[in-house]
Amino acid sequence: MVSTQFSIIDRAVEGAHAAQAQYGAAPAAVRARLLRGLADALEANQAALVSVADEETSLGAGRLNGELARTAFQLRGFADRVDSGIAHRQIDDAAVPGAPPAGRPHLTRVLAPLGPVAMFSASNFPFAFSVLGGDTASALAAGCTVIVKPHSGHPELSRRVHALAANVLREQGLPEGVIGFVDQASRDAAVHLVSHADVSAVAFTGSYQGGVALWRAANARRLPIPFYGELGSINPLVVTPAALAQGVDAPAAALAASITLGCGQFCTSPGLIVVYDDVDGERFVAALAQALAAQQPHAMLTQAMRGGFEKASAHIAEQAGVRVRLAVSAENEAATTPAPRLYETDAATFIANAALREEMFGPAALIVKVRDEAQALDVLAAVEGTLTATLWGAEADTPANRALAAAAQRIAGRVLFGGVPTGVAVCDAQQHGGPWPASTQPQTTSVGYAAIERFLRPVALQDAPQWALDANAGGITR
């Protein structure tokens, strides 16, 4: 079985490698047309795809229709940026006569696609982080071929989307290897994919354990390659006293909805809530527990994920110094859908116990009570790396709020001053990635149009003839 999977992977990578020369050198118009064609194909088959996705994931037609729309939107958005020259930017320094350091030759900095990208689909976004999701879109925009490793949580949907993609490639006269597909590879086969000599980069969204194993494989190669991994995040949200000045019910309701959105299966779900240990703070926690109890999450994506959530939440509950604020009844434990969980501890316990900083991937959160601003800063420092950090009530320009903002920026890729972290806009300014363990390359993003930069390598051309500059311009007039 494993050897068969290895052979399938080898053929897919060979196809991607063979297609890379043609696709990587294709004009910008060819890449943009492909991206728009893929968006059109998704929308033309939306009803059937959403039906299959709902059957496999239980995420609901409303959520899935919105996610498909987002996926088509970002495909077209990357096409627009390719048209504008984002993947063919050139920085030109004219020659200066004379000896160095003032004198120099003519230098032009251009961008080259890395080559075939192994793309590991995520479980929780069957469209937006899957076969034609942001990683695939950004790699194709950069001129890289892609080998998709689908997620086992939505196998039939992945096959159907890839079949649509293959049809678009045929219609546009492009090699089928531009978007390869390796169906349901085992862990050993996944390592084989990452280790293949003709794979030039890896994009991964998934668990910490799985991501680290593949990251190590990427770095253990004879020629190591970039590994762009999103590995997990607890997304702290700090509730300052100023945030509760107008009452606790509305903010508690908003936070409860965010914690349980998608059954808590968002990488940006707020899993750590920092609250001041005072009267209003306690009123807020009580209101949050009540609001969470009223939520009715849908089933989790897979039984394995449900089991992982139950294990992770039980592990938090059994730690010394942890108080259960929203208990789970025996009836809840046996139900198909998981009940929300809420736990509480103090700052000193949280900082001393690394187990309390582990992600509970599901509808749960940990409250950490702090005495003062200094303890809030200590709690944020203990978090290390996270995708998001949210500050409620930090609108005023005060030394305390500046310190909070600085602490949040040290640990997070995106800092929110209000609102909730679930929901990640696709735009040029977005940053979805943070220090380890949130991601393996915190200087890059996996959401937004800057994601294309992951798959482009700068090359300086010195005293290049015009034909060489034109060859790297993608047919874009400058």
Side-chain angles (χ1 to χ4, degrees), residues 142-428:
C144 297
T145 58
V146 179
I147 307 103
V148 175
K149 190 276 184 189
H151 195 275
S152 59
H154 31 84
E156 181 58 25
L157 175 67
S158 299
R159 295 185 194 107
R160 293 198 185 193
V161 172
H162 179 254
L164 291 176
N167 189 54
V168 172
L169 290 171
R170 284 192 295 272
E171 290 176 347
Q172 297 192 5
L174 292 171
E176 64 178 359
V178 171
I179 305 176
F181 190 79
V182 290
D183 202 353
Q184 301 305 304
S186 66
R187 289 189 177 184
D188 287 343
V191 171
H192 181 71
L193 173 59
V194 169
S195 304
H196 198 290
D198 288 332
V199 169
S200 300
V202 181
F204 172 90
T205 300
S207 69
Y208 176 83
Q209 292 80 7
V212 167
L214 295 177
W215 170 75
R216 286 175 174 157
N219 284 284
R221 293 165 42 121
R222 186 179 70 83
L223 298 176
I225 56 174
F227 184 90
Y228 301 105
E230 182 190 308
L231 309 182
S233 185
I234 60 175
N235 304 299
L237 187 152
V238 180
V239 184
T240 70
L244 305 178
Q246 303 302 316
V248 300
D249 291 337
L255 184 53
S258 181
I259 291 170
T260 56
L261 183 65
C263 200
Q265 299 167 120
F266 276 41
C267 52
T268 53
S269 183
L272 174 66
I273 317 302
V274 181
V275 179
Y276 282 67
D277 192 5
D278 55 24
V279 173
D280 282 346
E282 176 55 32
R283 288 177 56 237
F284 173 77
V285 173
L288 177 59
Q290 184 176 8
L292 279 172
Q295 298 288 320
Q296 297 181 324
H298 55 68
M300 298 193 77
L301 291 163
T302 67
Q303 281 300 114
M305 294 180 74
R306 172 68 184 274
F309 169 64
E310 297 293 347
K311 182 178 179 180
S313 58
H315 185 59
I316 295 294
E318 70 188 11
Q319 299 300 309
V322 171
R323 175 188 177 193
V324 177
R325 293 300 301 255
L326 183 58
V328 180
S329 67
E331 181 181 354
N332 291 143
E333 289 179 343
T336 303
T337 59
R341 321 290 161 87
L342 187 64
Y343 307 105
E344 181 185 307
T345 192
D346 59 82
T349 300
F350 176 81
I351 292 167
N353 187 352
L356 297 178
R357 302 191 285 277
E358 295 175 6
E359 182 181 19
M360 294 179 283
F361 194 66
L366 174 66
I367 298 287
V368 176
K369 291 281 190 69
V370 297
R371 290 191 311 267
D372 51 30
E373 296 158 357
Q375 273 201 336
L377 295 176
D378 290 342
V379 167
L380 289 179
V383 170
E384 297 178 337
T386 184
L387 292 172
T388 74
T390 304
L391 308 178
W392 281 4
E395 287 78 14
D397 185 358
T398 66
N401 286 341
R402 284 183 174 242
L404 268 180
Q409 290 178 63
R410 280 193 292 272
I411 64 168
R414 178 164 58 107
V415 178
L416 294 79
F417 292 85
V420 293
T422 41
V424 187
V426 181
C427 59
D428 293 295

